[in-house]
């Protein structure tokens, strides 16, 4: 993607950190979480690579074609699993957005390098912006610190989550905490919005 160097590097750092956390989540004993974390790690590192400022390196055309291939395969996988898990729909949309952005850069990298916001199909870009804006707002609301006992916003701090396993309480590892996973998805949603706006 082509944006000013400083915001571009911030975007790279955000996406790479998110991808790294998702790699740690792949150590979870829960198979579904490992699968989800793997897809999100791929998305995070893919977005980090795509966000490297053009002042540093302009990817060759074959790199964009590689993006289309990798995330096209991820989109096909997401399409197969979307019926069984509603969250997979979001993975599908993320993969579709990556394919779209890479395809735009494959077709018109030179034009886009000199003119921000002039590449892509406005209708598709607008639809993706609308989806990810809604996703970011919804994810942000879900992270609001509501007390489980019915308290107001911001009442108290969250304690370490626990789960019941065969009648015994066990502490959830920080890599398995749902609010951290949701924060990562929120970060990637915001990063996706920035990349779409600068397309």
């Amino acid at each position: 993607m082509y944006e000013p160097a400083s915001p571009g590097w911030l975007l790279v750092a955000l996406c790479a950190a998110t991808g790294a956390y998702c790699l740690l989540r792949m150590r979870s004993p829960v198979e579904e979480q490992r699968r989800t974390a793997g897809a999100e790690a791929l998305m995070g590192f893919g977005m980090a690579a795509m966000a490297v400022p053009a002042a540093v390196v302009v990817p060759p055309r074959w790199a964009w074609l590689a993006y289309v291939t990798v995330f096209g395969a991820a989109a096909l996988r997401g399409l197969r699993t979307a019926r069984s898990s509603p969250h997979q729909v979001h993975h599908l949309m993320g993969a579709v957005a990556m394919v779209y952005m890479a395809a735009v850069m494959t077709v018109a990298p030179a034009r886009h390098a000199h003119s921000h916001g002039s590449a892509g199909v406005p209708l598709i870009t607008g639809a993706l912006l609308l989806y990810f804006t809604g996703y970011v707002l919804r994810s942000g609301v879900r992270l609001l610190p509501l007390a489980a006992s019915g308290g107001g916003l911001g009442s108290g701090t969250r304690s370490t989550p626990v789960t019941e396993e065969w009648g015994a309480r066990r502490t959830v590892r920080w890599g398995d905490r749902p609010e951290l996973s949701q924060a990562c998805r929120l970060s990637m949603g915001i990063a996706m919005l920035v990349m779409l706006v600068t397309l």
Side-chain angles (χ1 to χ4, degrees):
M1 301 302 294
Y2 295 94
E3 62 259 344
S6 295
W9 284 120
L10 288 174
L11 199 58
V12 170
L14 174 67
C15 294
T18 301
Y21 175 71
C22 291
L23 283 181
L24 292 178
R25 285 175 50 218
M26 289 180 70
R27 300 171 59 191
S28 170
V30 181
E31 182 182 353
E32 177 62 27
Q33 176 154 303
R34 286 197 304 271
R35 246 191 333 263
T36 299
E40 291 172 352
L42 174 66
M43 184 68 65
F45 288 123
M47 291 172 67
M50 189 179 274
V52 172
V56 177
V57 61
V58 177
R61 187 170 185 271
W62 64 262
W64 298 119
L65 292 173
Y67 268 98
V68 171
T69 302
V70 170
F71 287 99
L76 289 175
R77 182 180 180 278
L79 192 60
R80 287 197 308 269
T81 57
R83 293 179 217 170
S84 59
S85 171
H87 180 67
Q88 294 299 324
V89 174
H90 177 65
H91 288 166
L92 172 62
M93 291 299 294
V96 166
M98 293 293 281
V99 169
Y100 170 66
M101 290 188 292
V104 168
M105 297 309 298
T106 301
V107 172
R111 182 184 66 169
H112 189 63
H114 301 290
S115 179
H116 292 276
S118 63
V121 180
L123 185 61
I124 298 175
T125 304
L128 289 171
L129 282 170
L130 188 62
Y131 171 80
F132 283 101
T133 299
Y135 182 82
V136 164
L137 292 174
R138 178 176 171 270
S139 297
V141 168
R142 290 180 66 184
L143 281 172
L144 290 176
L146 296 172
S149 60
L153 292 175
S155 57
T157 59
R158 293 187 180 189
S159 58
T160 302
V162 294
T163 58
E164 298 293 331
E165 185 176 14
W166 300 101
R169 289 165 65 87
R170 68 179 180 88
T171 302
V172 176
R173 297 182 307 176
W174 68 270
D176 291 328
R177 293 184 66 147
E179 69 272 20
L180 291 179
S181 301
Q182 190 65 33
C184 280
R185 294 180 190 123
L186 174 61
S187 299
M188 283 197 288
I190 292 170
M192 188 68 79
L193 277 175
V194 173
M195 293 170 78
L196 286 165
V197 166
T198 58
L199 185 66

